Amino acid sequence: MSVVERDVEEDGDADRGSGPAPTEDLLYGVIRRLWPLHRTIVRAVERELVGTGMTAGEHALLDALRKEGPRTVPQLARALGLDRQPVQRWVNHAAQLGLVVTAPNPAHRRSSLIELTIEGTEVMRGIQEFEAAELRRGLADLSADDVTTTLRVLDRLGEEFRHLADDSRVPPEEPGAPAGPEQQAGPEGPDGHDHPGSSRRGPSGRSDMERTERPGETEAPGRPTGRRTPRQ
C-alpha cells in the first residue's frame, strides 16, 4: 500500500470502495505534508549553514536574489510570502556579512535595490552546488516528469490559497472581471515600494517563515565560506 493510499484509509475513506481516491482526499494528503516538509527542509538547511553565520531565511533571500536579480525589500517580501520586517532584518544581517549591498533604484528613489555582492554570489554558488549534488544523489528515483507535475500542483495550490487568504477570488458569475487596483498593483504598489496598509501577518501577528527564525537558534558566528561543514 502506498503512503497516499494509507492516508486515505486512515482518514476513514475506506468505506468508499476500492476505487481511486477522490481528488480532494489526495489534495488533503498533499496539504497535510506541506507544513512538516517545510519545517524539515528548514532544519536541513540550518544544519548545512552551521558556521556560515547565515540563517535559513537569509539562504532563501540570497537564493531569490541569485535567481531573480536585484530587488527591493517589498518585492523580496512578496516573492517569499512574508512581511517586510523580517526580510529587512535578513537584508541587514546579510549586508553585515558582506553578502548583499544596496543600490539606487531608477524606478523609485526611496526604495533601494538589494543585490548580491561578489562574495555573496560565490557563497551561494558553493552552497547550491553542494545542495544540487545531494538532490541528485538522494532523489535519483524521481524523473523530470515527476518533478514537473509536482511543480504544477504546488503552483496551483499556491494560486488557490492566495485567493482564499486575500479574499480576492473573482465571483463565479464574473469569470472575466478585471482585478481591482489593489490586486493589480500588489501590496507594495506598481513601483515596488511598500505602501501603508499592506500586511502578510497571520492570526498570531507573525508570519510562518518569521516564526522559524528564532534569535540564537540558527545564527552562528563567523563569515560565510560557501563550504559545507562536515557532519559528525
Side-chain angles (χ1 to χ4, degrees), residues 58-82:
E58 288 156 11
H59 177 284
L61 171 78
L62 268 60
D63 175 63
L65 289 172
R66 187 170 188 234
K67 181 176 183 292
E68 302 295 341
R71 290 291 184 271
T72 65
V73 170
Q75 287 170 340
L76 287 165
R78 184 179 185 182
L80 295 170
L82 296 171

Side-chain angles (χ1 to χ4, degrees), residues 14-196:
D15 59 349
R16 298 191 183 186
S18 58
T23 302
E24 63 268 25
D25 292 339
L26 297 174
L27 287 171
Y28 268 116
V30 173
I31 293 167
R32 289 187 187 103
R33 286 165 172 77
L34 291 179
W35 176 246
L37 175 60
H38 167 74
R39 293 295 303 137
T40 300
I41 291 173
V42 168
R43 289 196 301 270
V45 170
E46 288 171 344
R47 182 173 182 177
E48 299 305 329
L49 294 176
V50 169
T52 69
M54 292 171 58
T55 67
E58 288 156 11
H59 177 284
L61 171 78
L62 268 60
D63 175 63
L65 289 172
R66 187 170 188 234
K67 181 176 183 292
E68 302 295 341
R71 290 291 184 271
T72 65
V73 170
Q75 287 170 340
L76 287 165
R78 184 179 185 182
L80 295 170
L82 296 171
D83 286 337
R84 183 184 60 79
Q85 288 81 2
V87 175
Q88 184 66 66
R89 288 197 296 270
W90 295 341
V91 167
N92 294 344
H93 188 236
Q96 292 173 5
L97 295 174
L99 303 176
V100 302
V101 293
T102 59
N105 181 1
H108 199 292
R109 60 187 178 87
R110 293 175 54 195
S111 186
S112 299
L113 292 171
I114 311 301
E115 60 183 28
L116 289 174
T117 61
I118 294 175
E119 181 179 358
T121 300
E122 290 302 314
V123 166
M124 285 306 294
R125 179 181 293 116
I127 290 173
Q128 293 184 329
E129 284 177 354
F130 169 77
E131 291 172 341
E134 288 286 284
L135 289 173
R136 286 193 298 269
R137 179 191 60 79
L139 299 173
D141 57 313
L142 296 180
S143 68
D145 287 343
D146 291 334
V147 179
T148 299
T149 299
T150 302
L151 289 172
R152 182 172 63 83
V153 172
L154 291 175
D155 286 345
R156 184 65 185 87
L157 284 171
E159 177 187 359
E160 180 65 20
F161 278 90
R162 275 191 295 274
H163 287 315
L164 294 172
D166 299 337
D167 195 22
S168 60
R169 173 172 293 287
V170 176
E173 65 273 14
E174 299 176 353
E182 297 86 355
Q183 297 174 29
Q184 291 174 349
E188 70 276 7
D191 53 15
H193 189 64
D194 209 7
H195 288 263

